[in-house]
Amino acid sequence: MKLCDLIEKLYVEADELEKKMFNKIFTLMLVFIIVTGVMPSLGMGESDVYAASPEPTIMSQTSNMMVGAGSNATFSLTTSNTNDNGQSVLTIAFDQKKIEEYYATLENDSVITISVANESDVYNVELNGQIVKDLKNKRIVLEFITEDGIYTLPLEEIDIDAIAQQIGKSITLSNIKLQIEIANLTADELNNVEQAATEGGFTLVTAPIHFTVRATHGNRTIDITTFNDYVERAIALPSGVNANYATTAVVIDPSRKVYHVPTKVELINGKYYAVINSVTNSMYAVISNQLLFEDMSNHWAKNAVNNLGSRLVIDGIGNSMFNPDQDITRGEFAAIMVRGLGLKLDDSISAFSDVTESDWYNSAIQTALIHQLITGFNDASFRPNTKITREEAMVITARAMKITNLKEKLNEQPADTSLGQFLDADEVSTWAVSSIVDSIQAGIVSGRTTTKLAPKGNMTRAEVATIIERLLQKSDLI
């Protein structure tokens, strides 16, 4: 019996309550299993799609599409070719009228999963601009699964109207193609990454992958490189690799600069993935970089410091030492926060009178300003070499909570609820009260003792590592 016939039989024989459950499952999530080839035991054709399971699993050699019990549709979907680099390219495009019929039944905030079992160097999903806009209006999330990785893209992140304006005011949305791509590196790119790994002293755990979103119209291409919120990607760990061996994912740019992006390892459908959250599109590699600082072996912040050191978020002072109790400067704190959040460095502005292009922290401070993590003083200075106080650090941390969407999960509390336990609460500056309350309520910051907050005290290197780690953990990013 064909799988679709079996499901239809179950649906027909179900009672009314069971039918409602069937319909809800099929409506909430369409899972498109896109392959080529035939699975004889199921008696299915070559160019159809199967869409029934609410789980994002990769199924092979199936090709019928079902949305709700018993309904079938055939799509012309896949094409294969070779790009200029000699890589095989698999492109998946949807029949306009057919796909409109299906997403019209979707409820808001649903997930559409496109899963590809074929092997290819490059995988593309193509949607025209009108489909993108219609799905965006329903807050649809598109999940694209290949053998190498998973890209989970909320279509709210794509401003298709703004893209159309860039191309030309008279452009029809349906004539714009949005391409979502997961691609392996070319030989030259891989060689560059391997050199970066050697120079950085870390080991590549997976083959690096490009995640790309672009809009095209004729000869015009617009790359969508940044998003308003974190967007999730996942890279499959090789079979047999211990999940604890993977430290983090990193971005390695063409100049071989490396920076951390928030990463956690999760078991998905029986397979381990490095789950990456980033506000940019780029090339990502999963690395192993187990680091232990010699002067942290008996320190209270041992785990946080070694964890963030391994993730390339914080640096030692040389000779495998960290110096955890040393005070940290405002410039150093801004740089560590930017690295911890995985923000792409941007020095396109120059806003502070005492931060120059030649300063090592210039790009980090400008990036922190662009993302509204920091402000300067009334004299247009930032005072990067001044030691940062605990309350100043907590204000920046609370702003970072907005970027990670942790802030919106908090319930408003009177200041006394969080600060009342501290005998020195009256020392907190008025401008810092709400931020400190948020940081304490989120479980990111605690007092130096159970009764002392020390808001005017200087922040130490160990305290910074602890705060950044808690921020990322509470935000479910690591």
Side-chain angles (χ1 to χ4, degrees), residues 367-386:
T367 303
L369 179 63
I370 289 169
H371 288 273
Q372 300 179 2
L373 289 167
I374 61 173
T375 57
F377 294 91
N378 291 334
D379 61 357
S381 68
F382 181 70
R383 304 175 195 175
N385 297 313
T386 301

Side-chain angles (χ1 to χ4, degrees), residues 126-250:
E126 284 188 357
L127 301 170
N128 75 49
Q130 188 58 55
I131 292 176
V132 172
K133 183 167 184 175
D134 293 343
L135 294 177
K136 175 181 177 178
N137 289 339
K138 287 194 167 189
R139 301 186 299 277
I140 300 300
V141 174
L142 186 67
E143 184 179 55
F144 184 20
I145 302 177
T146 73
E147 289 290 293
D148 303 311
I150 304 172
Y151 197 172
T152 306
L153 179 63
L155 291 177
E156 283 187 290
E157 293 292 332
I158 308 299
D159 191 344
I160 195 68
D161 289 321
I163 291 169
Q165 287 291 318
Q166 283 184 261
I167 295 173
K169 293 183 179 180
S170 61
I171 297 300
T172 303
L173 288 181
S174 59
N175 291 330
I176 297 172
K177 288 182 180 179
L178 184 80
Q179 296 178 330
I180 302 163
E181 181 179 278
I182 299 176
N184 294 313
L185 271 61
T186 64
D188 288 343
E189 289 173 326
L190 183 57
N191 180 62
N192 190 61
V193 169
E194 289 172 342
Q195 289 186 48
T198 300
E199 294 167 3
F202 54 80
T203 303
L204 295 176
V205 177
T206 66
I209 296 179
H210 279 293
F211 292 87
T212 305
V213 180
R214 67 175 71 90
T216 66
H217 181 273
N219 296 325
R220 182 80 183 273
T221 298
I222 297 175
D223 289 320
I224 300 164
T225 58
T226 60
F227 302 111
N228 294 322
D229 293 304
Y230 282 100
V231 171
E232 185 177 288
R233 309 140 183 85
I235 298 177
L237 300 187
S239 177
V241 170
N242 189 315
N244 294 325
Y245 183 63
T247 307
T248 189
V250 296

Side-chain angles (χ1 to χ4, degrees), residues 56-348:
T57 55
I58 298 176
M59 301 176 66
S60 62
Q61 306 305 315
T62 58
S63 52
N64 280 346
M65 178 172 184
M66 275 184 14
V67 181
S71 60
N72 299 319
T74 300
F75 287 65
S76 296
L77 292 168
T78 61
T79 59
S80 298
N81 55 38
T82 302
N83 64 17
D84 293 340
N85 296 315
Q87 294 176 299
S88 58
V89 180
L90 180 68
T91 300
I92 303 151
F94 295 98
D95 179 276
Q96 172 80 24
K97 292 183 179 179
K98 296 282 188 179
I99 194 63
E100 284 178 354
E101 293 174 7
Y102 289 108
Y103 71 63
T105 68
L106 282 175
E107 294 183 7
N108 291 349
D109 304 302
S110 296
V111 177
I112 295 178
T113 298
I114 302 170
S115 184
V116 183
N118 304 64
E119 289 189 8
S120 183
D121 296 320
V122 180
Y123 303 88
N124 271 316
V125 169
E126 284 188 357
L127 301 170
N128 75 49
Q130 188 58 55
I131 292 176
V132 172
K133 183 167 184 175
D134 293 343
L135 294 177
K136 175 181 177 178
N137 289 339
K138 287 194 167 189
R139 301 186 299 277
I140 300 300
V141 174
L142 186 67
E143 184 179 55
F144 184 20
I145 302 177
T146 73
E147 289 290 293
D148 303 311
I150 304 172
Y151 197 172
T152 306
L153 179 63
L155 291 177
E156 283 187 290
E157 293 292 332
I158 308 299
D159 191 344
I160 195 68
D161 289 321
I163 291 169
Q165 287 291 318
Q166 283 184 261
I167 295 173
K169 293 183 179 180
S170 61
I171 297 300
T172 303
L173 288 181
S174 59
N175 291 330
I176 297 172
K177 288 182 180 179
L178 184 80
Q179 296 178 330
I180 302 163
E181 181 179 278
I182 299 176
N184 294 313
L185 271 61
T186 64
D188 288 343
E189 289 173 326
L190 183 57
N191 180 62
N192 190 61
V193 169
E194 289 172 342
Q195 289 186 48
T198 300
E199 294 167 3
F202 54 80
T203 303
L204 295 176
V205 177
T206 66
I209 296 179
H210 279 293
F211 292 87
T212 305
V213 180
R214 67 175 71 90
T216 66
H217 181 273
N219 296 325
R220 182 80 183 273
T221 298
I222 297 175
D223 289 320
I224 300 164
T225 58
T226 60
F227 302 111
N228 294 322
D229 293 304
Y230 282 100
V231 171
E232 185 177 288
R233 309 140 183 85
I235 298 177
L237 300 187
S239 177
V241 170
N242 189 315
N244 294 325
Y245 183 63
T247 307
T248 189
V250 296
V251 171
I252 303 175
D253 68 20
S255 66
R256 297 205 286 274
K257 291 182 180 178
V258 180
Y259 66 88
H260 154 271
V261 279
T263 308
K264 56 185 176 179
V265 175
E266 291 186 346
L267 186 64
I268 303 174
N269 297 319
K271 189 173 185 177
Y272 282 104
Y273 286 82
V275 179
I276 305 159
N277 276 278
S278 176
V279 293
T280 59
N281 273 322
S282 194
M283 183 280 297
Y284 300 93
V286 181
I287 67 168
S288 181
N289 183 49
Q290 308 296 330
L291 183 63
L292 298 173
F293 291 106
E294 292 181 6
D295 57 348
M296 294 304 302
S297 57
N298 296 311
H299 197 278
W300 62 267
K302 169 186 174 181
N303 292 336
V305 169
N306 288 333
N307 183 18
L308 293 197
S310 298
R311 291 175 181 271
L312 309 181
V313 175
I314 56 176
D315 298 318
I317 60 171
N319 299 318
S320 299
M321 306 296 280
F322 183 71
N323 200 2
D325 300 319
Q326 177 181 312
D327 294 337
I328 200 164
T329 66
R330 288 167 53 83
E332 288 171 330
F333 186 84
I336 293 172
M337 181 62 79
V338 165
R339 287 200 294 266
L341 294 172
L343 302 179
K344 184 178 181 180
L345 294 179
D346 187 342
D347 56 4
S348 59

Side-chain angles (χ1 to χ4, degrees), residues 392-444:
E392 288 174 333
M394 284 184 257
V395 169
I396 295 173
T397 300
R399 291 172 181 161
M401 287 167 54
K402 295 179 181 178
I403 294 177
T404 67
N405 291 321
L406 181 58
K407 162 69 175 174
E408 67 183 28
K409 298 176 184 178
L410 301 180
N411 297 318
E412 284 195 30
Q413 286 187 353
D416 290 347
T417 304
S418 296
L419 298 180
Q421 61 185 303
F422 300 112
L423 300 177
D424 57 353
D426 59 343
E427 297 179 15
V428 174
S429 300
T430 303
W431 50 264
V433 170
S434 63
S435 295
I436 292 176
V437 168
D438 288 344
S439 299
I440 293 172
Q441 186 187 349
I444 296 173

